[in-house]
Amino acid sequence: MVTRVATFTSHTLLSNLALSNAAKLTDLSNQSASGYKSRSYAGIASDTQQLLNIEGSLTRNDQYLNNITQVKLRLQNMESATDSLTDIATRMKTLLLQGLSNSQASDLNLDEEGNQALDQVTSLLNTTLDGRYLFGGGTTDTAPVNLAAAPLPDTYFATVAGSDSATLGALGGTTAGSLDINGQTIAYTPGMTAKALANAINSLSPPPAIASVRADVGTPNYRLVIEDFSGNAMAISETGGGNLLDGLSHNPAPSTDAGYYQGDQKQLSARIDEDYSIKYGVRADDPAFASLISGLQIMSKTTDETSLRIALGHIEYAIDNLPNVTSKIGIDTKNVETVESQHQDFSVFANNAISDIENVDVPLTLAELEQYNTALQASFLAISKSADNSLVNYLR
């Protein structure tokens, strides 16, 4: 076919339209086969920057989701361990009550039961996940509990008849004075309650000892208990002329070892959002764990009834407070899951946005492909017809 001057313009126009249709047909054919608008960024040049931004955000979002998964696994393991500790404490309480009610501590082998329970407690508080210890705070490469170094508390105590609101005068503190405990002074009066004295000791910073008023299980009485967990003998004396110390009995610690806790005072933390690093979990030095260990230590070393009642008080304290530990873990889990839900929502949004930029609607593309194929065939036919245009044909 020869293009003449008279037909050059129309031929060129028809040829360009045909080439354009052919190029579009090729693009649509590739899109329908692959499902993508283009194999390169050049094919989606106007949306490239937006796509890169979304992909970068999605990558960071996926990392936060991975971090959250790790945090949730650790919290689940902590919660499981704490639940098991509660079961142990409840079982030991039952054994102690049986032994104390019938004076059968020796017959029930309470010392052996205590030792076995201590082994279980050690294993649970030294729980690991992916080679990391969970209850040691920021120290994740060292077992947080070493019971070979666990001290029994040096303890002073007195029985409070009938109520935890009994006054110090009823305990022998009939004259106003002050106690010096490990170098810190606490003033008291005969009308002060045992509970108020315990609060005064615990409110000092740092507390020179740990004081509490606990139910003396198996009797209608309570006990004022002042304990030093350092492993050293408590330095306690009257410095203000009073006589309260005369009414306190001394249960000396049979050990002067260092504390059992080998971790640090940090909390586990993880970055779970752009500007949010969560601190989570609990440490093995939590007072509930410490009381359980102290109670079991006493239980494992003596059959003395007074000492066993103090051990029972520790275990009662642990039973009362372990649910608070579980609740703390549950709150951390809930906080993490709230952030996780936000990231999952963003993941859905981002993937949909990326799909809108990168992907094609295949059925719609196939329909459009058919239209362009028809148009291309028409272009070829028009080009063929234009080649036949001549004056002779026109005059026919």
Side-chain angles (χ1 to χ4, degrees), residues 147-154 228 230-233 252-258 297 301:
L147 289 185
L152 292 174
D154 192 23
D228 184 341
S230 69
N232 301 314
S255 169
T256 57
D257 295 327
Q297 281 279 85
K301 292 182 181 295

Side-chain angles (χ1 to χ4, degrees), residues 132-185:
R132 296 165 57 96
Y133 289 97
L134 300 183
F135 289 96
T139 304
T140 60
D141 58 352
T142 302
V145 174
N146 177 12
L147 289 185
L152 292 174
D154 192 23
T155 305
Y156 285 78
F157 63 93
T159 300
V160 182
S163 170
D164 62 356
S165 61
T167 64
L168 299 183
L171 301 179
T174 56
T175 305
S178 58
L179 288 178
D180 186 292
I181 303 177
N182 290 333
Q184 297 198 56
T185 301

Side-chain angles (χ1 to χ4, degrees), residues 324-336:
N324 296 335
V325 177
T326 303
S327 177
K328 166 68 168 60
I329 296 172
I331 291 171
D332 289 342
T333 301
K334 180 63 176 178
N335 291 338
V336 169

Side-chain angles (χ1 to χ4, degrees), residues 248-370:
L248 299 180
S249 300
H250 185 206
N251 190 58
S255 169
T256 57
D257 295 327
Y260 70 85
Y261 182 62
Q262 309 295 304
D264 57 29
Q265 295 304 304
K266 298 177 181 178
Q267 274 189 286
L268 292 172
S269 64
R271 176 65 65 85
I272 61 172
D273 204 350
E274 190 72 26
D275 301 311
Y276 183 28
S277 291
I278 188 173
K279 295 183 183 297
Y280 65 94
V282 293
R283 299 190 304 267
D285 64 343
D286 186 274
F289 300 150
S291 278
L292 177 58
I293 289 172
S294 294
L296 294 176
Q297 281 279 85
I298 296 171
M299 183 177 170
S300 68
K301 292 182 181 295
T302 181
T303 57
D304 174 71
E305 183 173 337
T306 297
S307 296
L308 289 178
R309 287 192 179 280
I310 291 175
L312 184 57
H314 279 297
I315 291 174
E316 282 271 344
Y317 179 88
I319 291 172
D320 289 342
N321 287 275
L322 282 170
N324 296 335
V325 177
T326 303
S327 177
K328 166 68 168 60
I329 296 172
I331 291 171
D332 289 342
T333 301
K334 180 63 176 178
N335 291 338
V336 169
E337 287 178 342
T338 298
V339 178
E340 179 184 38
S341 178
Q342 295 170 358
H343 286 313
Q344 288 171 339
D345 289 344
F346 176 79
S347 182
V348 172
F349 162 78
N351 281 305
N352 286 339
I354 289 173
S355 178
D356 289 343
I357 294 173
E358 291 184 335
N359 300 338
V360 295
D361 184 335
V362 174
L364 183 62
T365 301
L366 288 173
E368 193 175 358
L369 176 65
E370 184 62 28

Side-chain angles (χ1 to χ4, degrees), residues 109-273:
N109 296 320
L110 291 184
D111 53 348
E112 182 60 30
E113 293 285 352
N115 275 318
Q116 290 181 9
L118 281 171
D119 290 341
Q120 294 170 0
V121 169
T122 301
S123 177
L124 289 167
L125 291 179
N126 286 338
T127 295
T128 60
L129 181 65
D130 296 330
R132 296 165 57 96
Y133 289 97
L134 300 183
F135 289 96
T139 304
T140 60
D141 58 352
T142 302
V145 174
N146 177 12
L147 289 185
L152 292 174
D154 192 23
T155 305
Y156 285 78
F157 63 93
T159 300
V160 182
S163 170
D164 62 356
S165 61
T167 64
L168 299 183
L171 301 179
T174 56
T175 305
S178 58
L179 288 178
D180 186 292
I181 303 177
N182 290 333
Q184 297 198 56
T185 301
I186 302 95
Y188 66 86
T189 63
M192 190 177 192
T193 66
K195 194 168 187 179
L197 176 66
N199 290 338
I201 294 172
N202 294 333
S203 65
L204 295 174
S205 183
I210 303 300
S212 61
V213 179
R214 303 195 292 250
D216 193 8
V217 180
T219 77
N221 301 324
Y222 288 77
R223 284 188 185 226
L224 167 67
V225 185
I226 304 172
E227 299 162 298
D228 184 341
F229 287 90
S230 69
N232 301 314
M234 190 187 315
I236 184 170
S237 62
E238 290 277 8
T239 58
N243 58 353
L244 177 60
L245 188 57
D246 295 340
L248 299 180
S249 300
H250 185 206
N251 190 58
S255 169
T256 57
D257 295 327
Y260 70 85
Y261 182 62
Q262 309 295 304
D264 57 29
Q265 295 304 304
K266 298 177 181 178
Q267 274 189 286
L268 292 172
S269 64
R271 176 65 65 85
I272 61 172
D273 204 350

